[in-house]
PDB file of all heavy atoms in Angstrom:
ATOM      1  N   THR A   1       0.873  -1.101   0.035  1.00 97.00           N
ATOM      2  CA  THR A   1       0.032   0.006   0.003  1.00 97.00           C
ATOM      3  C   THR A   1       0.877   1.288  -0.037  1.00 97.00           C
ATOM      4  O   THR A   1       1.878   1.371   0.704  1.00 97.00           O
ATOM      5  CB  THR A   1      -0.845  -0.030   1.223  1.00 97.00           C
ATOM      6  OG1 THR A   1      -1.807  -1.192   1.240  1.00 97.00           O
ATOM      7  CG2 THR A   1      -1.788   1.182   1.228  1.00 97.00           C
ATOM      8  N   ARG A   2       0.506   2.237  -0.855  1.00 97.00           N
ATOM      9  CA  ARG A   2       1.108   3.386  -0.910  1.00 97.00           C
ATOM     10  C   ARG A   2       0.091   4.604  -0.998  1.00 97.00           C
ATOM     11  O   ARG A   2      -1.008   4.321  -1.361  1.00 97.00           O
ATOM     12  CB  ARG A   2       2.143   3.616  -2.222  1.00 97.00           C
ATOM     13  CG  ARG A   2       3.265   2.526  -2.202  1.00 97.00           C
ATOM     14  CD  ARG A   2       4.168   2.843  -3.348  1.00 97.00           C
ATOM     15  NE  ARG A   2       5.116   1.798  -3.482  1.00 97.00           N
ATOM     16  CZ  ARG A   2       6.068   1.835  -4.386  1.00 97.00           C
ATOM     17  NH1 ARG A   2       6.058   2.906  -5.318  1.00 97.00           N
ATOM     18  NH2 ARG A   2       6.881   0.939  -4.602  1.00 97.00           N
ATOM     19  N   MET A   3       0.544   5.733  -0.619  1.00 97.00           N
ATOM     20  CA  MET A   3      -0.314   6.970  -0.832  1.00 97.00           C
ATOM     21  C   MET A   3       0.062   7.665  -2.154  1.00 97.00           C
ATOM     22  O   MET A   3       1.327   7.839  -2.681  1.00 97.00           O
ATOM     23  CB  MET A   3       0.033   8.008   0.378  1.00 97.00           C
ATOM     24  CG  MET A   3      -0.304   7.426   1.741  1.00 97.00           C
ATOM     25  SD  MET A   3      -1.980   6.879   1.922  1.00 97.00           S
ATOM     26  CE  MET A   3      -2.808   8.367   2.025  1.00 97.00           C
ATOM     27  N   VAL A   4      -1.019   7.860  -2.870  1.00 96.00           N
ATOM     28  CA  VAL A   4      -0.855   8.487  -4.272  1.00 96.00           C
ATOM     29  C   VAL A   4      -1.398   9.844  -4.217  1.00 96.00           C
ATOM     30  O   VAL A   4      -2.467  10.079  -3.827  1.00 96.00           O
ATOM     31  CB  VAL A   4      -1.606   7.641  -5.311  1.00 96.00           C
ATOM     32  CG1 VAL A   4      -1.580   8.253  -6.690  1.00 96.00           C
ATOM     33  CG2 VAL A   4      -1.046   6.191  -5.355  1.00 96.00           C
ATOM     34  N   ALA A   5      -0.582  10.801  -4.665  1.00 95.00           N
ATOM     35  CA  ALA A   5      -0.872  12.199  -4.684  1.00 95.00           C
ATOM     36  C   ALA A   5      -1.785  12.420  -6.002  1.00 95.00           C
ATOM     37  O   ALA A   5      -1.380  11.933  -7.036  1.00 95.00           O
ATOM     38  CB  ALA A   5       0.282  13.115  -4.815  1.00 95.00           C
ATOM     39  N   LEU A   6      -2.909  12.982  -5.774  1.00 93.00           N
ATOM     40  CA  LEU A   6      -3.778  13.410  -6.817  1.00 93.00           C
ATOM     41  C   LEU A   6      -3.643  14.888  -7.282  1.00 93.00           C
ATOM     42  O   LEU A   6      -3.037  15.655  -6.536  1.00 93.00           O
ATOM     43  CB  LEU A   6      -5.264  13.238  -6.465  1.00 93.00           C
ATOM     44  CG  LEU A   6      -5.532  11.730  -6.138  1.00 93.00           C
ATOM     45  CD1 LEU A   6      -6.990  11.569  -5.660  1.00 93.00           C
ATOM     46  CD2 LEU A   6      -5.265  10.742  -7.212  1.00 93.00           C
ATOM     47  N   PRO A   7      -4.047  15.196  -8.472  1.00 90.00           N
ATOM     48  CA  PRO A   7      -3.827  16.633  -8.920  1.00 90.00           C
ATOM     49  C   PRO A   7      -4.377  17.728  -7.979  1.00 90.00           C
ATOM     50  O   PRO A   7      -3.877  18.790  -8.025  1.00 90.00           O
ATOM     51  CB  PRO A   7      -4.515  16.658 -10.349  1.00 90.00           C
ATOM     52  CG  PRO A   7      -4.494  15.274 -10.757  1.00 90.00           C
ATOM     53  CD  PRO A   7      -4.613  14.416  -9.462  1.00 90.00           C
ATOM     54  N   ASP A   8      -5.341  17.397  -7.339  1.00 93.00           N
ATOM     55  CA  ASP A   8      -6.047  18.394  -6.314  1.00 93.00           C
ATOM     56  C   ASP A   8      -5.267  18.571  -5.062  1.00 93.00           C
ATOM     57  O   ASP A   8      -5.733  19.231  -4.244  1.00 93.00           O
ATOM     58  CB  ASP A   8      -7.523  18.158  -6.110  1.00 93.00           C
ATOM     59  CG  ASP A   8      -7.702  16.725  -5.376  1.00 93.00           C
ATOM     60  OD1 ASP A   8      -6.699  16.164  -4.919  1.00 93.00           O
ATOM     61  OD2 ASP A   8      -8.891  16.445  -5.286  1.00 93.00           O
ATOM     62  N   GLY A   9      -4.247  17.734  -4.928  1.00 94.00           N
ATOM     63  CA  GLY A   9      -3.423  17.925  -3.630  1.00 94.00           C
ATOM     64  C   GLY A   9      -3.793  16.792  -2.655  1.00 94.00           C
ATOM     65  O   GLY A   9      -3.116  16.608  -1.662  1.00 94.00           O
ATOM     66  N   SER A  10      -4.840  16.081  -2.888  1.00 96.00           N
ATOM     67  CA  SER A  10      -5.242  15.239  -1.814  1.00 96.00           C
ATOM     68  C   SER A  10      -4.437  13.917  -2.131  1.00 96.00           C
ATOM     69  O   SER A  10      -3.805  13.636  -3.141  1.00 96.00           O
ATOM     70  CB  SER A  10      -6.789  14.710  -2.114  1.00 96.00           C
ATOM     71  OG  SER A  10      -6.987  14.247  -3.316  1.00 96.00           O
ATOM     72  N   LEU A  11      -4.384  12.982  -1.120  1.00 96.00           N
ATOM     73  CA  LEU A  11      -3.719  11.763  -1.209  1.00 96.00           C
ATOM     74  C   LEU A  11      -4.798  10.685  -1.161  1.00 96.00           C
ATOM     75  O   LEU A  11      -5.782  10.720  -0.441  1.00 96.00           O
ATOM     76  CB  LEU A  11      -2.802  11.534   0.100  1.00 96.00           C
ATOM     77  CG  LEU A  11      -1.600  12.543   0.123  1.00 96.00           C
ATOM     78  CD1 LEU A  11      -0.939  12.354   1.342  1.00 96.00           C
ATOM     79  CD2 LEU A  11      -0.709  12.437  -1.088  1.00 96.00           C
ATOM     80  N   ARG A  12      -4.396   9.561  -1.841  1.00 95.00           N
ATOM     81  CA  ARG A  12      -5.387   8.406  -1.853  1.00 95.00           C
ATOM     82  C   ARG A  12      -4.489   7.123  -1.565  1.00 95.00           C
ATOM     83  O   ARG A  12      -3.480   6.887  -2.212  1.00 95.00           O
ATOM     84  CB  ARG A  12      -5.980   8.165  -3.231  1.00 95.00           C
ATOM     85  CG  ARG A  12      -6.952   7.000  -3.242  1.00 95.00           C
ATOM     86  CD  ARG A  12      -7.690   6.980  -4.592  1.00 95.00           C
ATOM     87  NE  ARG A  12      -8.576   8.110  -4.562  1.00 95.00           N
ATOM     88  CZ  ARG A  12      -9.665   8.262  -5.441  1.00 95.00           C
ATOM     89  NH1 ARG A  12      -9.849   7.340  -6.313  1.00 95.00           N
ATOM     90  NH2 ARG A  12     -10.534   9.194  -5.495  1.00 95.00           N
ATOM     91  N   GLN A  13      -4.902   6.334  -0.677  1.00 96.00           N
ATOM     92  CA  GLN A  13      -4.327   5.070  -0.320  1.00 96.00           C
ATOM     93  C   GLN A  13      -4.687   4.073  -1.443  1.00 96.00           C
ATOM     94  O   GLN A  13      -5.757   3.885  -1.585  1.00 96.00           O
ATOM     95  CB  GLN A  13      -4.830   4.638   1.069  1.00 96.00           C
ATOM     96  CG  GLN A  13      -4.026   3.377   1.567  1.00 96.00           C
ATOM     97  CD  GLN A  13      -4.480   3.067   2.993  1.00 96.00           C
ATOM     98  OE1 GLN A  13      -4.561   4.018   3.782  1.00 96.00           O
ATOM     99  NE2 GLN A  13      -4.821   1.814   3.224  1.00 96.00           N
ATOM    100  N   VAL A  14      -3.624   3.502  -1.930  1.00 96.00           N
ATOM    101  CA  VAL A  14      -3.767   2.469  -3.079  1.00 96.00           C
ATOM    102  C   VAL A  14      -2.993   1.282  -2.710  1.00 96.00           C
ATOM    103  O   VAL A  14      -1.840   1.400  -2.395  1.00 96.00           O
ATOM    104  CB  VAL A  14      -3.444   3.118  -4.408  1.00 96.00           C
ATOM    105  CG1 VAL A  14      -3.629   2.124  -5.500  1.00 96.00           C
ATOM    106  CG2 VAL A  14      -4.163   4.427  -4.656  1.00 96.00           C
ATOM    107  N   THR A  15      -3.597   0.153  -3.001  1.00 97.00           N
ATOM    108  CA  THR A  15      -2.923  -1.128  -2.755  1.00 97.00           C
ATOM    109  C   THR A  15      -2.892  -2.025  -4.090  1.00 97.00           C
ATOM    110  O   THR A  15      -3.952  -2.198  -4.692  1.00 97.00           O
ATOM    111  CB  THR A  15      -3.643  -2.036  -1.558  1.00 97.00           C
ATOM    112  OG1 THR A  15      -3.679  -1.226  -0.349  1.00 97.00           O
ATOM    113  CG2 THR A  15      -2.919  -3.381  -1.346  1.00 97.00           C
ATOM    114  N   TYR A  16      -1.682  -2.342  -4.396  1.00 96.00           N
ATOM    115  CA  TYR A  16      -1.377  -3.115  -5.702  1.00 96.00           C
ATOM    116  C   TYR A  16      -0.437  -4.097  -5.145  1.00 96.00           C
ATOM    117  O   TYR A  16       0.226  -4.108  -4.131  1.00 96.00           O
ATOM    118  CB  TYR A  16      -0.881  -2.306  -6.652  1.00 96.00           C
ATOM    119  CG  TYR A  16      -1.673  -1.220  -7.344  1.00 96.00           C
ATOM    120  CD1 TYR A  16      -1.103   0.041  -7.583  1.00 96.00           C
ATOM    121  CD2 TYR A  16      -3.007  -1.399  -7.620  1.00 96.00           C
ATOM    122  CE1 TYR A  16      -1.902   1.106  -8.109  1.00 96.00           C
ATOM    123  CE2 TYR A  16      -3.755  -0.365  -8.045  1.00 96.00           C
ATOM    124  CZ  TYR A  16      -3.225   0.825  -8.363  1.00 96.00           C
ATOM    125  OH  TYR A  16      -3.926   1.814  -8.942  1.00 96.00           O
ATOM    126  N   SER A  17      -0.177  -5.131  -5.998  1.00 95.00           N
ATOM    127  CA  SER A  17       0.872  -6.066  -5.778  1.00 95.00           C
ATOM    128  C   SER A  17       2.201  -5.422  -5.903  1.00 95.00           C
ATOM    129  O   SER A  17       2.329  -4.385  -6.537  1.00 95.00           O
ATOM    130  CB  SER A  17       0.729  -7.327  -6.846  1.00 95.00           C
ATOM    131  OG  SER A  17       1.057  -6.765  -8.095  1.00 95.00           O
ATOM    132  N   PHE A  18       3.184  -6.078  -5.295  1.00 93.00           N
ATOM    133  CA  PHE A  18       4.650  -5.579  -5.485  1.00 93.00           C
ATOM    134  C   PHE A  18       4.969  -5.495  -6.892  1.00 93.00           C
ATOM    135  O   PHE A  18       5.745  -4.500  -7.312  1.00 93.00           O
ATOM    136  CB  PHE A  18       5.585  -6.598  -4.737  1.00 93.00           C
ATOM    137  CG  PHE A  18       7.049  -6.241  -4.885  1.00 93.00           C
ATOM    138  CD1 PHE A  18       7.552  -5.189  -4.166  1.00 93.00           C
ATOM    139  CD2 PHE A  18       7.807  -6.867  -5.828  1.00 93.00           C
ATOM    140  CE1 PHE A  18       8.816  -4.710  -4.406  1.00 93.00           C
ATOM    141  CE2 PHE A  18       9.015  -6.634  -6.001  1.00 93.00           C
ATOM    142  CZ  PHE A  18       9.607  -5.551  -5.322  1.00 93.00           C
ATOM    143  N   MET A  19       4.507  -6.411  -7.786  1.00 93.00           N
ATOM    144  CA  MET A  19       4.882  -6.313  -9.130  1.00 93.00           C
ATOM    145  C   MET A  19       4.354  -5.028  -9.880  1.00 93.00           C
ATOM    146  O   MET A  19       5.163  -4.533 -10.664  1.00 93.00           O
ATOM    147  CB  MET A  19       4.334  -7.534  -9.934  1.00 93.00           C
ATOM    148  CG  MET A  19       4.644  -7.652 -11.316  1.00 93.00           C
ATOM    149  SD  MET A  19       4.028  -9.066 -12.194  1.00 93.00           S
ATOM    150  CE  MET A  19       2.275  -9.110 -11.788  1.00 93.00           C
ATOM    151  N   ILE A  20       3.153  -4.535  -9.558  1.00 96.00           N
ATOM    152  CA  ILE A  20       2.767  -3.411 -10.121  1.00 96.00           C
ATOM    153  C   ILE A  20       3.549  -2.208  -9.655  1.00 96.00           C
ATOM    154  O   ILE A  20       3.974  -1.239 -10.401  1.00 96.00           O
ATOM    155  CB  ILE A  20       1.237  -3.196  -9.856  1.00 96.00           C
ATOM    156  CG1 ILE A  20       0.353  -4.233 -10.388  1.00 96.00           C
ATOM    157  CG2 ILE A  20       0.792  -1.730 -10.306  1.00 96.00           C
ATOM    158  CD1 ILE A  20       0.371  -4.285 -11.970  1.00 96.00           C
ATOM    159  N   TRP A  21       3.769  -2.123  -8.419  1.00 97.00           N
ATOM    160  CA  TRP A  21       4.612  -1.007  -7.880  1.00 97.00           C
ATOM    161  C   TRP A  21       5.989  -1.093  -8.316  1.00 97.00           C
ATOM    162  O   TRP A  21       6.703  -0.033  -8.535  1.00 97.00           O
ATOM    163  CB  TRP A  21       4.633  -1.036  -6.221  1.00 97.00           C
ATOM    164  CG  TRP A  21       3.350  -0.552  -5.725  1.00 97.00           C
ATOM    165  CD1 TRP A  21       2.549  -1.213  -4.846  1.00 97.00           C
ATOM    166  CD2 TRP A  21       2.610   0.738  -5.879  1.00 97.00           C
ATOM    167  NE1 TRP A  21       1.344  -0.381  -4.509  1.00 97.00           N
ATOM    168  CE2 TRP A  21       1.430   0.719  -5.157  1.00 97.00           C
ATOM    169  CE3 TRP A  21       2.929   1.875  -6.656  1.00 97.00           C
ATOM    170  CZ2 TRP A  21       0.616   1.860  -5.138  1.00 97.00           C
ATOM    171  CZ3 TRP A  21       2.053   2.966  -6.730  1.00 97.00           C
ATOM    172  CH2 TRP A  21       0.988   3.006  -5.949  1.00 97.00           C
ATOM    173  N   ASP A  22       6.663  -2.265  -8.595  1.00 95.00           N
ATOM    174  CA  ASP A  22       7.874  -2.409  -9.065  1.00 95.00           C
ATOM    175  C   ASP A  22       7.996  -1.767 -10.510  1.00 95.00           C
ATOM    176  O   ASP A  22       8.977  -1.032 -10.885  1.00 95.00           O
ATOM    177  CB  ASP A  22       8.345  -3.857  -9.075  1.00 95.00           C
ATOM    178  CG  ASP A  22       9.812  -3.979  -9.396  1.00 95.00           C
ATOM    179  OD1 ASP A  22      10.642  -3.321  -8.724  1.00 95.00           O
ATOM    180  OD2 ASP A  22      10.128  -4.839 -10.322  1.00 95.00           O
ATOM    181  N   GLY A  23       6.929  -2.061 -11.338  1.00 95.00           N
ATOM    182  CA  GLY A  23       6.787  -1.453 -12.629  1.00 95.00           C
ATOM    183  C   GLY A  23       6.720   0.007 -12.565  1.00 95.00           C
ATOM    184  O   GLY A  23       7.332   0.771 -13.421  1.00 95.00           O
ATOM    185  N   TYR A  24       5.944   0.513 -11.626  1.00 97.00           N
ATOM    186  CA  TYR A  24       5.807   1.968 -11.414  1.00 97.00           C
ATOM    187  C   TYR A  24       7.198   2.616 -11.178  1.00 97.00           C
ATOM    188  O   TYR A  24       7.554   3.665 -11.713  1.00 97.00           O
ATOM    189  CB  TYR A  24       4.706   2.233 -10.258  1.00 97.00           C
ATOM    190  CG  TYR A  24       4.635   3.682  -9.782  1.00 97.00           C
ATOM    191  CD1 TYR A  24       3.930   4.560 -10.379  1.00 97.00           C
ATOM    192  CD2 TYR A  24       5.325   4.010  -8.714  1.00 97.00           C
ATOM    193  CE1 TYR A  24       3.839   5.882  -9.958  1.00 97.00           C
ATOM    194  CE2 TYR A  24       5.174   5.394  -8.151  1.00 97.00           C
ATOM    195  CZ  TYR A  24       4.430   6.291  -8.897  1.00 97.00           C
ATOM    196  OH  TYR A  24       4.425   7.534  -8.408  1.00 97.00           O
ATOM    197  N   ASP A  25       7.836   2.018 -10.191  1.00 97.00           N
ATOM    198  CA  ASP A  25       9.205   2.454  -9.813  1.00 97.00           C
ATOM    199  C   ASP A  25      10.138   2.518 -10.992  1.00 97.00           C
ATOM    200  O   ASP A  25      10.817   3.434 -11.256  1.00 97.00           O
ATOM    201  CB  ASP A  25       9.727   1.734  -8.690  1.00 97.00           C
ATOM    202  CG  ASP A  25       8.991   1.917  -7.321  1.00 97.00           C
ATOM    203  OD1 ASP A  25       8.295   2.898  -7.139  1.00 97.00           O
ATOM    204  OD2 ASP A  25       9.091   1.106  -6.500  1.00 97.00           O
ATOM    205  N   ASP A  26      10.081   1.457 -11.887  1.00 96.00           N
ATOM    206  CA  ASP A  26      10.914   1.422 -13.008  1.00 96.00           C
ATOM    207  C   ASP A  26      10.459   2.551 -14.086  1.00 96.00           C
ATOM    208  O   ASP A  26      11.435   3.059 -14.614  1.00 96.00           O
ATOM    209  CB  ASP A  26      10.771   0.084 -13.754  1.00 96.00           C
ATOM    210  CG  ASP A  26      11.472  -1.083 -12.993  1.00 96.00           C
ATOM    211  OD1 ASP A  26      12.259  -0.806 -12.156  1.00 96.00           O
ATOM    212  OD2 ASP A  26      11.047  -2.321 -13.320  1.00 96.00           O
ATOM    213  N   LEU A  27       9.246   2.869 -14.122  1.00 97.00           N
ATOM    214  CA  LEU A  27       8.863   3.948 -14.981  1.00 97.00           C
ATOM    215  C   LEU A  27       9.425   5.308 -14.495  1.00 97.00           C
ATOM    216  O   LEU A  27       9.827   6.069 -15.201  1.00 97.00           O
ATOM    217  CB  LEU A  27       7.400   4.026 -15.098  1.00 97.00           C
ATOM    218  CG  LEU A  27       6.764   2.833 -15.906  1.00 97.00           C
ATOM    219  CD1 LEU A  27       5.175   2.907 -15.787  1.00 97.00           C
ATOM    220  CD2 LEU A  27       7.135   2.803 -17.415  1.00 97.00           C
ATOM    221  N   LEU A  28       9.242   5.515 -13.174  1.00 97.00           N
ATOM    222  CA  LEU A  28       9.886   6.788 -12.701  1.00 97.00           C
ATOM    223  C   LEU A  28      11.317   6.759 -12.873  1.00 97.00           C
ATOM    224  O   LEU A  28      11.911   7.885 -13.298  1.00 97.00           O
ATOM    225  CB  LEU A  28       9.497   6.828 -11.234  1.00 97.00           C
ATOM    226  CG  LEU A  28       8.067   6.941 -10.847  1.00 97.00           C
ATOM    227  CD1 LEU A  28       7.916   7.072  -9.260  1.00 97.00           C
ATOM    228  CD2 LEU A  28       7.343   7.997 -11.579  1.00 97.00           C
TER     229      LEU A  28
END
């Protein structure tokens, strides 16, 4: 689970598998 910042400045708690977050980190 990570907190995701939205364009309006709010944060949303989002839970994905480690594999999805690993792909996200690779993209960054």
Side-chain angles (χ1 to χ4, degrees):
T1 301
R2 296 188 188 183
M3 297 304 287
V4 174
L6 300 177
D8 65 4
S10 65
L11 296 174
R12 181 173 291 194
Q13 184 174 316
V14 179
T15 302
Y16 297 136
S17 68
F18 173 79
M19 181 175 59
I20 296 296
W21 286 122
D22 190 51
Y24 171 82
D25 293 338
D26 287 347
L27 290 172
L28 296 184

